[in-house]
């Protein structure tokens, strides 16, 4: 899910995804892969990679989407998968061993120079962490063939994502609000504002831009597991870390999250969510 880099202006995100978020993701890897399957399905349906195509994946994480992309482009195609998180890339290397049509890169997609032009640039939640998103997307556009397409998934507004908003409200009530953040700061909600996302892509030189909200159901493994996840990942988890909550407070918050879950999740631990599907083309 990470998408920062190894040079230029993304040093804070690089450190975060190597020291904090990456290790968290690895610890919760099975749960995270399960809950994001519907997002991945929707992304691949929209991206529609074809046999023989060259694909750049931004923020490949542990390689779940990468493996599916590799299968779709086949042995005649190629997937270059980029991430800044070494722990997540190590998991991806283990998953993707033996796939000759995949190249994994520890690099900053915002600044990296790629060996060949791509037919498709795609990302499942990997493009939300750029310090200068317009410049980053301009670099990604430069990696595309004329007419090449961009298809990315980003999170929609927090109000439309109760799996985040409800635990965050509970956490704020107990611990107080988070430190102020600048609008559209790098993070999961960087492209929650569709107008902002359109402006960024326009500045980057893309054409045929569309940012469409889509409802998906996240697939949790259990309500207990989701309560644990809410206290670890996402805005509530970040606030708990920011406030340096002690073990007793963290445990009490997990109980509160579990009690709130039936209000928005079903008995099978499916949670409604809203993503923004971002599509555009490199002008011919």
């Amino acid at each position: 899910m990470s998408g920062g880099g190894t040079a230029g202006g993304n040093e804070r995100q690089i450190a975060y995804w190597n020291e904090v978020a990456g290790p968290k993701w690895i610890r919760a890897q099975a749960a995270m892969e399960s809950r994001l399957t519907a997002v991945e399905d929707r992304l691949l349906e929209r991206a529609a990679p074809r046999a023989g195509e060259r694909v750049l994946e931004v923020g490949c994480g542990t390689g779940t989407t990468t493996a599916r992309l590799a299968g779709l482009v086949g042995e005649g195609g190629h997937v270059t998968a980029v991430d800044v998180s070494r722990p997540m890339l190590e998991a991806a290397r283990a998953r993707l061993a033996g796939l000759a049509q995949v190249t994994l890169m520890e690099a900053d997609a915002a600044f990296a120079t790629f060996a060949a032009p791509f037919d498709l640039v795609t990302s499942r939640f990997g493009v939300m962490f750029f310090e200068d998103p317009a410049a980053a997307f301009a670099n990604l556009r430069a990696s595309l063939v004329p007419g090449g397409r961009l298809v990315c998934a980003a999170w929609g507004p927090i109000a439309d994502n109760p799996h985040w908003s409800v635990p965050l409200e509970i956490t704020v009530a107990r611990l107080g609000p988070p430190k102020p953040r600048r609008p559209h700061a790098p993070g999961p909600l960087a492209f929650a504002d569709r107008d902002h996302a359109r402006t960024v892509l326009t500045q980057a030189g893309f054409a045929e831009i569309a940012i469409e909200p889509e409802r998906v159901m996240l697939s949790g493994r259990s309500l207990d597991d989701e309560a644990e996840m809410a206290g670890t990942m996402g805005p509530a988890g970040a606030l708990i870390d920011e406030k340096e909550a002690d073990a007793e407070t963290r445990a009490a918050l997990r109980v509160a999250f579990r009690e709130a879950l039936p209000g928005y999740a079903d008995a099978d631990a499916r949670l409604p969510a809203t993503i923004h599907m971002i599509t555009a083309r490199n002008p011919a």
Side-chain angles (χ1 to χ4, degrees), residues 81 138 144:
L144 280 166

Side-chain angles (χ1 to χ4, degrees), residues 16 24 167-179 230-245 250 253:
Y16 177 70
K24 275 188 177 184
L168 181 60
E169 290 169 4
I170 292 169
T171 306
V172 169
R174 181 168 185 122
L175 301 181
K179 297 176 184 176
T232 304
M233 308 293 287
L239 179 56
I240 291 168
D241 287 347
E242 178 187 313
K243 299 295 186 179
E244 300 181 344
R250 290 172 186 265
L253 284 167

